[in-house]
Every structure is written in structure tokens, then in C-alpha cells.
Amino acid sequence: MKTPFEITCVILSGGKSSRMGEDKSFLPFSSSKTLIEYQYNRLKPYFKNIYISSKTNKFDFIEEKCLILDENKDVFSPILALDTIFDKFKNQKIFIITVDTPFVTIESISKLIEESENYDICIAQTEKTHNLCGVFSSNISLTIKNMIINDIHKINYLIKNNKYNIIKFHKNSEFMNLNNKDEYLESLNYINKTNNS
């Protein structure tokens, strides 16, 4: 496995966190002060460049140049976040991951990058498809802009209208999402067991 990976990583951290009831980015996690710091710090050694995508500059642990700010403050849509990201990084592939998937291993990320070579989008799948964990080519920017014009914000629509590859993984816990308080508590138990095993 060759590291650091020769592509940029962007962590999506601009969602509403409505099911959590508070900004999940700022939840304490493992030995880190916040979940976003945990995700950023664990991935940073493996990528040439790493950024955080957000609606606002709400983080005190990174420089402003490491932020990609989605200027549309009122509509919460990963499609809008991707549009802003691809305006910044033209003609290249980006590894996209959300703040609330802190267990995806570097080995799995490496496999997604390797398998993305001939595709516009290469994403992970366990029992469900993880639409925002994978490699996206900025060449899909035109599709995204047309989707925004037509008020289409479904990631699945973006995937199906480009050349995509879905990679099957077998460990559901690795792709655990922290969407609500129960899942957050489950993740804390999981990481404690992992750290103590």
C-alpha cells in the first residue's frame, strides 16, 4: 500500500445533524476533543492534501486554507458541497468521506482508490451503499451543475448518471454512521473495545 495517497481527501462536515440534535462534528470522540479532529488527524498522514468542507469556519484546529466553504448557507445538500469542492479541484480525483464515518480503514480507502482508475465515481458498499465514501472525479462537475439547475439533490442520481464502480466490503461496523445519539454511543463502545483488544 503506497502512502501518502496521491489524491486529495475532503471530509464533509457541513450537514444539519438534525437526527443528532447537535452538531456531530463537535461531539467528543475517543482521545480527541471532537469527532472532526479525530477524523482529520487519523486521515491526514495518508494523504498529500486534506481539507474539510463546511458551511462556516467553525473549526479552531486547522488553518483557514484547509477549509472549503460551501457558500450556499441555506440549503443543506451534499451535491452543493461537491459543486464547491470540484470548482476548487479541477481535472483530478478526490477521496470524499463524511465526518461521521470514523472507522473506515486505510486499507479500505486504498482499495477504493485503486479500483477507481477507470471510473468517475468509486464508492463502498456493505449491506447498504455508502454514497459519500469513495473517489469522485471532478470531471463530473457538469453533471452536478445541471442537477443544481434542475433542483436535483440526490447523490444516487449523480452516481447513476456517471461511470461508477461499487466495491463490496464485508465489515458493516467499519462503515458505521453516527447519525443519532444511539449510534454515537454505539460507536464509543465500539472504539473502546477496539482500543482495548
Side-chain angles (χ1 to χ4, degrees):
M1 184 172 64
K2 184 182 174 187
T3 56
F5 301 123
E6 289 298 313
I7 69 173
T8 293
C9 173
V10 178
I11 304 168
L12 301 182
S13 187
K16 283 176 96 169
S17 300
S18 52
R19 281 178 283 174
M20 189 66 74
E22 60 183 296
D23 191 336
K24 67 179 77 170
S25 300
F26 294 134
L27 292 169
F29 197 78
S30 187
S31 57
S32 297
K33 190 169 76 171
T34 62
L35 178 59
I36 185 61
E37 286 183 64
Y38 178 87
Q39 185 75 308
Y40 182 87
N41 289 331
R42 84 175 184 96
L43 294 175
K44 191 174 189 297
Y46 300 99
F47 286 90
K48 189 169 61 172
N49 299 298
I50 184 165
Y51 295 82
I52 296 173
S53 167
S54 179
K55 292 281 189 192
T56 57
N57 185 355
K58 57 187 178 181
F59 310 111
D60 60 6
F61 67 96
I62 57 168
E63 296 178 54
E64 194 167 345
K65 67 181 182 181
C66 296
L67 275 174
I68 302 171
L69 295 177
D70 174 6
E71 293 174 6
N72 191 320
K73 308 296 183 198
D74 301 320
V75 181
F76 290 84
S77 160
I79 293 296
L80 294 173
L82 290 175
D83 184 48
T84 307
I85 291 164
F86 295 145
D87 279 345
K88 183 176 177 69
F89 302 109
K90 297 185 188 300
N91 301 314
Q92 57 182 288
K93 290 191 172 183
I94 312 292
F95 180 73
I96 300 288
I97 191 167
T98 53
V99 64
D100 61 359
T101 50
F103 302 119
V104 181
T105 65
I106 301 306
E107 288 73 24
S108 295
I109 292 170
S110 179
K111 183 168 179 60
L112 286 163
I113 292 170
E114 286 168 12
E115 298 289 341
S116 72
E117 189 173 351
N118 298 312
Y119 298 91
D120 298 315
I121 299 171
C122 182
I123 53 173
Q125 184 183 68
T126 50
E127 286 178 355
K128 64 177 185 175
T129 304
H130 304 281
N131 290 334
L132 290 170
C133 180
V135 179
F136 290 73
S137 169
S138 58
N139 296 334
I140 65 175
S141 181
L142 187 58
T143 309
I144 290 175
K145 290 188 184 303
N146 285 330
M147 286 174 65
I148 292 168
I149 289 167
N150 291 294
D151 199 27
I152 300 168
H153 292 273
K154 299 287 187 188
I155 285 288
N156 196 47
Y157 180 94
L158 175 67
I159 292 164
K160 297 293 195 234
N161 282 277
N162 285 284
K163 190 178 179 187
Y164 67 92
N165 191 15
I166 295 178
I167 306 301
K168 186 76 177 171
F169 295 92
H170 300 288
K171 198 173 176 186
N172 282 313
S173 56
E174 183 185 344
F175 293 86
M176 187 190 307
N177 271 101
L178 284 59
N179 287 315
N180 55 47
K181 284 286 175 17
D182 288 341
E183 289 171 346
Y184 171 57
L185 292 173
E186 184 185 345
S187 74
L188 295 180
N189 289 331
Y190 179 79
I191 200 164
N192 285 337
K193 284 179 191 170
T194 305
N195 289 342
N196 293 327
S197 61

